[in-house]
Amino acid sequence: MQTIFSLLKRYRLFIIVAYSLTFFELMIELLLPFFLGKMINDGVVNKDLHNIIMWGSIMIGLALFSFVAGVFNSFFAAHTSASFGYDLRDRLFRKIQSFSFIHLSQNPTSALMTRFTNDIRQIQNTVFMGLRIMVKAPLIVIGGVVMAFIVNVKLAFIFLVTVPLLVSFIFWVLKHSSRMFEQVQQRVDTVNRVMQENLAGMRLIKAFLRRDFEENRFVKANRDLAHMTRIAFRFVEASMPVLLFIMNMSLIFILWFGHGQIIDGQILVGDVVAIVNYALRVSMAISMFTFITLAVSRMQASSERLSHVLRIKVDQNDDKKIQQQTVVEKGSIRFENVSFAYPLSEENVLSNITFTVQPGEKLAIIGATGSGKTSLFQLIPRLYEPLKGTIYIDARPTVSYRLEQLRRAIGYVPQNPLLFTGSIKDNIRWGKEQATLKEIRQAARDAQIHDTIMELPDGYDTRVGQKGVNLSGGQKQRISIARALIRQPKILMLDDSTSALDMATESRLLDAIQQYNCTTLIITQKISTALRADRILLIDDGKMLAIGTHSELLETSALYQRIVESQFGKEYKHVH
Amino acid sequence: MSIKHLTKPFRYEKIPLKKIREDKRDKAKNTTGTIKRIWSYLAREKWKLLLVILMVMASSALSLLGPFMVGMAVDDYIVEKARSGLGMLLIWLIVIYLCHSLAIFLQNFWMVGIAQNTVYQLRADLFQQFHRLPIAYFDKRQHGELMSRLTNDIDNINNTLNQSVIQILTSMLTLVGTIGVMLYLSPLLTLITMTIIPMMLLAMRWITKRTGPLYKKQQRDLGDVNGYVEEIVSGQHVVKTFSQEQRVIDSFQTNNTKLRRSFFWAQTFTGFIPKVMNMLNFLSFGLIALAGGILAIKGWITVGVIVIFTEYARQFTRPLNELSNQFNILLAAVAGAERVFSVIDEEEEETDERHARELKTTTGHFRFANVHFAYDDTPILKNISFEAKPGETVAFVGHTGAGKTTIINLIARFYNYDKGKITLDGIDLKKIKRSSLRSHMAFVLQDTFLFHGTIRENIRYGRLDATDEEIVKAAKRANAHDFITRLPHGYDTVLDQDGSGISQGERQLLTIARAFLAEPSILILDEATSNIDTITELQIQDALKTLMHGRTSFVIAHRLNTIQEADTIVMLENGTIVEKGNHDALIKKQGHYYHLYKKQLTGSLNDQNCS
């Protein structure tokens, strides 16, 4: 809560102005009956038409004046809540951008999305209402009680019993309801997750005819959400009649004791009437409280969830001592006794990996699915930190570079090629913001995708990504390779990125990469691809089995022999 | 702080209304139509709604009766100082207050139920609609933007139903009652009070003309922000590896600023509504005072009437004020509902042709005869003819983009072919129900789809009534059993949607296990083993062979050695078939396939010679 509200401080001034204007309107409301009394006493009783017109015009003038104040109020309130919402979204988005992979795997996309969509909206709505309507009801309650005490302390005494009772009741409700709404929001998470999975896997769901199955999953999540929402809303809304009843009972006490005191002559008639009047107003205002309690408890739940994300410590900050200027110059890589395990997992994915890659060298990494190839890749740009051991780039530990400098030197092509909504041009330019059109074309040519792009209806301006045209897996792979090449990286990392390419295309691609003067790491399944590298690193079950040239491995490694046989079979042996 | 500092934030650029209306993204929608549709959802709960209305009437009446009795008590026992009988009156009062609270409780209780049922139904309808839409619909939209409709837009409707309906009903009832009493007291002053109504209507029209489109724009901008966030957050690994954080923050800010702007204007204008009402409230007070004063001098009315009347005028504008406050929420809800309904109204995937029928069993005999297909007017496939006899394997070979996957999409009828004919067992594919056709097929695609759930549940997806033993058997046949049992929780390991924890290859093994479980007559393997290492692939080749035995199979693979045993190899180039035949025949022919095959083999051998 506090994290969230500290953001409101910036708008202090606007909030003060907005509240002052609301007070001004309230004052006019209170002044009008006063002027009416004046008009009756001076004008009507004395039959002074001039006086009546004067007071009448003043009242009409005040009404117009209140409108001007109200219009200003609108601007101030709208600005505060619009900017507050902007700030919240901005904060959250920046925070997510600062997350490391570990945080991202602990906070699934759908849960982060609900914070963006639902939680922020809830907070923003409440703040906006808080600036405009929600102040009035508490003010009337406080004002009414204070006025009652001024009129007659003895009779107003009853408020000393009921008001603390009401306040503690409201707090009790708030405490429980915010917990309920937290559960509601969690279920919103679930509904969103199912929905997101469905949107992502629509093709397969259709292929497997699993619509009913998915619908059942959704129905369950949806029903759970509706159920919890029902409970939470009903709990809060049931509290209102209770509040009202408590307040009305105090009114009955006032009448009873007031009557007794009147009979004893201890109190003036006007005082009793006034206090009864205030009690009526207070109980009227209390009907607004459900509304307020609902809004506040939903906001509490949402800000708790939001603060939780905002409070996550980002551990991957650069060491302050790091020199700004250190850049990767050559691109040599050295692993020294590197072991790695994913957070919250006991099993090592990689153990004791040691090898060196010279600048400009091409190293193929080969191994069974799940042997730890991708994990090894992810350690180099520090997407994860190793458990033990050190990774050196240009003879400096990777941690001695600023993250940005380190990653700037790396062209990473992930296994799953992901393009963002935008044109093909934009997507390639992602690798290098200032890239000229010429550079983009060159990168695309080298990635063997230029010709395909030119055949598309809008060429380089064709829209791709979630909102774009359907590209095949191989086309996406090559665009994401172009995206990496355009950075002119010192280290190029291809994570099985040529799997969907046919041999001829792949071969031309590897030729083109040759011209880029960079250290290249290629994860691959295909021996034919591995053969294009200078050396081959063979890993199995997280352990390094061998490193060397094709002929060396063919002689020393039984596993390697088996892999080669599996791909070339009889023909290979025959030629060999 | 100076005035300048205060006014600076208000320089939000104006949003021209004409532009919003011209935005193609919403076709001309009408608000009344939308409200009618919301009503059609509410109408399912007619009886409950009737009960709510009855309770609102009761609570409104009781809320008037309470103060009335308090007034009586004050008159008789406080002012007149009557000695006995107060106790009885107070007991009655307690009963009234009890009933009042009870009525409020019940109206809220039922209304929450109605609202939740309605919102539940809307969400369910939206979800079902997503499944009825053609694949192409999703290709052109951001997932986050669609999700925004499920969350924000439906949430707006929820708020309205929970709060506004009762509020509006209460206000209307109070309004009718008050007008009645006023007419009884003084028709002339009532007429004067009523003069604010035309002013009110004019003001409301001026405001709603602006707020309606602005709300629409606000929800749309919100959808854009959410769409962008969803896309970036799910692609976060790319953002990170390219260290593009600053850049996405910048584009996010552009979206966010747009939202702030439309939010500001929408809220400012709706903020005017209660202010206008307030002013009219004060104005009517002033008018009554002025007119009443003059009338009183002329002796037409008494001072008492003026006092009572100003009080009633307040009561008259109070419900109007409430109504206008609710208007705010109502507008947001209508804007949200329109966006929800616009998805529901979207054209569905072409339904089955009229005479389409069920296909109980199939031998899997496929025949393509001169099939043409174009996507967005770009011809993709031209004149495709081939045959797959029952139990045969047909492999598609060709460069990336030659049209291999498109053929598969036609076989499963994700796309509709334009010209030519595809038959299964001699029956035109267009005469078979899509669901029936697909029920005989199993797919292993390059993109794996796993959902949040255990491994067991994910495999069971292939056949929902499969027993645990059958699942283990399928996993064993797909060679997935070993790695599964090595996981800390075995078959009960929970997978994330993004599948963190298991590798791409392992994910594929699970989907292969799924296909084993499905026991289909027709098998489609689209680059199924591209992400699996060759030793593992070798291990499952045997299993795949068993799976393909007796089933018509369509295979796309880049590694030619995996398809050498296919009965027919169809070589595609630019959407046309250039060669057709089995491996040996095509090798003998020394054509396109031969060259491709040689390149794949010798390309590697040459390199090997160099090293």
Side-chain angles (χ1 to χ4, degrees), chain B residues 534-589:
Chain B
T534 47
I535 292 203
T536 314
E537 189 187 17
L538 207 63
Q539 286 165 3
I540 65 165
Q541 279 300 339
D542 286 339
L544 275 180
K545 226 178 270 174
T546 331
L547 180 67
M548 284 154 77
H549 183 76
R551 299 187 168 102
T552 307
S553 310
F554 298 96
V555 183
I556 297 179
H558 279 122
R559 292 181 207 147
L560 296 183
N561 59 321
T562 59
I563 54 159
Q564 281 170 24
E565 285 166 36
D567 297 286
T568 312
I569 293 170
V570 174
M571 175 97 194
L572 290 159
E573 217 160 77
N574 288 327
T576 51
I577 296 178
V578 289
E579 270 176 6
K580 207 160 47 176
N582 67 19
H583 178 76
D584 292 338
L586 289 180
I587 290 291
K588 221 177 268 170
K589 200 178 160 198

Side-chain angles (χ1 to χ4, degrees), chain B residues 233-249:
Chain B
V233 173
S234 32
Q236 201 65 42
H237 60 283
V238 179
V239 178
K240 285 250 114 69
T241 45
F242 281 85
S243 55
Q244 292 292 314
E245 290 92 341
Q246 195 48 50
R247 178 164 167 193
V248 294
I249 288 174

Side-chain angles (χ1 to χ4, degrees), chain A residues 13-14 25 39 47 52 63 66-67 70 73-75 78-79 81 83 86 89-90 94 97 99 101 104 113 116-117 121 124 128 132 192-193 195-199 201 203-204 206-207 209-211 213-215 218-219 222 225 229-230 233-234 237-238 241 248 251-252 259 262-263 291 298 368-370 383 407 412 415 420-421 429-430 433 466-468 470 487 500 502-503 525 531-532 550 563 566-567 571, chain B residues 1 9-10 12 77 81-83 86 94 97 101 105 108-109 112-113 116-117 120 123 127-128 130-131 133 135 138-143 151-152 159 162-163 218 222 226 229-231 236-237 240-242 244 247-248 253 256 259 263 267-268 271-272 275-276 278-279 282 289 297 328 349 399-400 435 438-439 443 445 449 451-452 461-462 464 497 503-505 531 533-535 558-559 561 597 600 604 607-608:
Chain A
L13 200 64
F14 297 94
E25 282 180 86
M39 184 195 84
K47 300 207 185 255
I52 290 173
S66 80
F67 180 63
N73 185 11
S74 266
F75 276 99
H79 169 67
S81 76
S83 302
Y86 175 89
R89 288 193 178 88
D90 198 53
R94 280 172 193 272
Q97 291 309 317
F99 275 3
F101 267 36
L104 285 171
M113 276 309 291
F116 258 101
T117 53
R121 201 57 202 285
Q124 204 180 1
F128 189 52
R132 294 211 327 216
N192 281 357
R193 197 190 61 223
M195 187 57 132
Q196 208 201 9
E197 284 175 358
N198 267 269
L199 289 175
R203 196 175 292 263
L204 221 93
K206 277 187 192 277
L209 293 175
R210 286 295 172 266
R211 197 169 123 184
F213 179 81
E214 292 299 329
E215 256 172 42
F218 185 77
V219 163
N222 193 8
L225 171 62
T229 316
R230 209 174 285 146
F233 267 91
R234 277 181 180 163
E237 300 206 335
N248 285 336
L251 182 63
I252 286 173
H259 179 240
I262 286 273
I263 301 290
F291 188 55
R298 291 182 86 178
T369 33
L383 296 174
R407 290 177 185 164
Y412 192 108
Q415 201 172 25
F420 294 100
T421 294
R429 199 176 264 150
W430 184 266
E433 270 177 78
Q466 282 189 5
K467 276 200 277 190
N470 245 339
R487 323 191 87 188
D502 49 66
M503 292 297 297
Q525 310 288 358
L531 279 169
R532 304 282 310 252
H550 173 69
I563 297 173
S566 74
Q567 293 184 28
E571 269 101 333
Chain B
M1 296 221 194
F10 300 132
Y12 288 91
Y77 298 98
K81 299 182 187 171
R83 280 185 179 270
L86 178 64
I94 291 173
Y97 282 143
S101 283
F105 171 77
N108 287 345
F109 186 86
V112 169
Q116 282 315 305
N117 288 347
Y120 171 86
R123 256 192 284 200
F127 184 85
Q128 287 185 347
F130 279 147
H131 280 271
L133 289 169
I135 289 287
F138 300 97
D139 294 344
K140 298 216 157 42
R141 277 167 187 83
Q142 279 173 316
H143 300 160
T151 52
N152 280 339
N159 282 341
N162 269 321
Q163 295 161 9
Q218 177 197 305
L222 191 62
N226 292 339
V229 171
E230 199 267 349
E231 189 174 344
Q236 201 65 42
H237 60 283
K240 285 250 114 69
T241 45
F242 281 85
Q244 292 292 314
R247 178 164 167 193
V248 294
Q253 275 179 340
N256 201 8
L259 171 63
F263 190 90
Q267 299 305 327
T268 302
F272 287 167
K275 302 306 167 189
V276 167
N278 231 353
M279 177 200 56
F282 296 160
I297 293 181
N328 201 345
E349 186 177 20
H399 291 282
T400 320
S435 60
R438 289 175 196 164
S439 71
F443 294 72
L445 310 177
F449 166 68
F451 56 85
H452 178 92
Y461 207 75
L464 297 178
Q497 183 208 348
S503 73
Q504 190 83 8
N531 290 323
D533 68 281
T534 47
I535 292 203
H558 279 122
R559 292 181 207 147
N561 59 321
Y597 181 73
Q600 202 170 97
S604 49
D607 272 0
Q608 195 249 319

Side-chain angles (χ1 to χ4, degrees), chain A residues 238 240-242 244-246 248-249 252, chain B residues 51-52 54-66 69 90-108 110:
Chain A
M240 204 272 273
V242 177
L244 200 62
F245 190 69
I246 296 175
N248 285 336
M249 284 312 285
I252 286 173
Chain B
L51 282 174
V52 169
L54 283 176
M55 283 303 128
V56 171
M57 284 162 100
S59 67
S60 304
L62 288 169
S63 74
L64 290 176
L65 194 59
M69 294 210 21
L90 290 185
I91 287 168
W92 273 114
L93 204 53
I94 291 173
V95 172
I96 287 170
Y97 282 143
L98 256 181
C99 291
H100 184 208
S101 283
L102 190 71
I104 290 177
F105 171 77
L106 286 176
Q107 81 194 22
N108 287 345
W110 282 321

Side-chain angles (χ1 to χ4, degrees), chain A residues 305-360:
Chain A
R305 283 159 51 86
L306 203 62
S307 321
H308 178 76
V309 175
L310 289 178
R311 269 201 307 262
I312 292 175
K313 273 219 185 90
V314 184
D315 45 18
Q316 231 195 354
N317 276 328
D318 290 320
D319 198 329
K320 291 227 171 63
K321 281 174 279 179
I322 295 171
Q323 288 171 357
Q324 302 261 330
Q325 308 308 332
T326 324
V327 292
V328 178
E329 276 164 5
K330 299 197 192 78
S332 74
I333 303 166
R334 183 153 57 96
F335 272 60
E336 222 174 70
N337 288 317
V338 174
S339 296
F340 172 67
Y342 283 100
L344 306 176
S345 156
E346 283 157 28
E347 211 183 340
N348 272 14
V349 183
L350 293 171
S351 15
N352 272 323
I353 304 284
T354 304
F355 67 88
T356 309
V357 189
Q358 300 302 328

Side-chain angles (χ1 to χ4, degrees), chain A residues 132-149:
Chain A
R132 294 211 327 216
I133 9 185
M134 264 157 48
V135 273
K136 220 168 165 180
L139 276 180
I140 290 172
V141 173
I142 295 168
V145 172
V146 169
M147 288 307 288
F149 272 95

Side-chain angles (χ1 to χ4, degrees), chain B residues 255-473:
Chain B
N255 276 325
N256 201 8
T257 309
K258 243 172 71 191
L259 171 63
R260 178 169 63 179
R261 183 174 153 209
S262 55
F263 190 90
F264 173 81
W265 285 114
Q267 299 305 327
T268 302
F269 279 109
T270 34
F272 287 167
I273 298 174
K275 302 306 167 189
V276 167
M277 296 309 302
N278 231 353
M279 177 200 56
L280 291 178
N281 181 2
F282 296 160
L283 198 64
S284 72
F285 191 97
L287 283 173
I288 290 166
L290 185 63
I294 295 167
L295 290 177
I297 293 181
K298 304 225 161 142
W300 290 9
I301 57 168
T302 65
V303 174
V305 171
I306 303 178
V307 176
I308 295 168
F309 224 89
T310 47
E311 192 51 35
Y312 271 106
R314 229 167 60 89
Q315 279 217 25
F316 168 73
T317 45
R318 211 173 68 102
L320 283 181
N321 210 341
E322 290 288 345
L323 281 175
S324 62
N325 268 333
Q326 296 307 322
F327 209 76
N328 201 345
I329 309 172
L330 198 71
L331 275 179
V334 169
E338 272 183 18
R339 283 162 48 83
V340 172
F341 289 139
S342 82
V343 175
I344 293 181
D345 292 340
E346 199 65 47
E347 211 168 298
E348 296 174 8
E349 186 177 20
E350 286 166 67
T351 45
D352 293 315
E353 286 69 9
R354 247 181 341 126
H355 300 293
R357 59 188 177 101
E358 295 281 341
L359 196 66
K360 286 247 163 56
T361 53
T362 173
T363 61
H365 188 169
F366 266 98
R367 194 199 293 272
F368 271 59
N370 304 317
V371 173
H372 288 257
F373 174 72
Y375 189 85
D376 283 348
D377 293 334
T378 320
I380 307 281
L381 292 177
K382 284 158 273 180
N383 213 19
I384 301 292
S385 305
F386 66 89
E387 187 178 4
K389 295 208 182 84
E392 277 191 353
T393 298
V394 175
F396 301 101
V397 180
H399 291 282
T400 320
K404 295 169 295 200
T405 304
T406 312
I407 292 192
I408 296 230
N409 281 333
L410 291 184
I411 291 173
R413 293 207 62 207
F414 288 134
Y415 299 158
N416 235 346
Y417 48 96
D418 305 325
K419 269 189 282 178
K421 202 169 184 184
I422 306 175
T423 57
L424 172 59
D425 292 346
I427 307 162
D428 191 336
L429 224 51
K430 286 184 178 170
K431 290 194 174 128
I432 301 169
K433 282 192 178 163
R434 279 182 175 78
S435 60
S436 180
L437 173 72
R438 289 175 196 164
S439 71
H440 295 295
M441 296 180 169
F443 294 72
V444 183
L445 310 177
Q446 193 178 18
D447 294 332
T448 53
F449 166 68
L450 299 177
F451 56 85
H452 178 92
T454 65
I455 287 188
R456 198 191 308 280
E457 286 163 357
N458 268 290
I459 297 178
R460 186 171 278 138
Y461 207 75
R463 200 178 83 231
L464 297 178
D465 59 353
T467 63
D468 285 359
E469 288 76 34
E470 286 173 313
I471 287 170
V472 173
K473 206 174 133 201

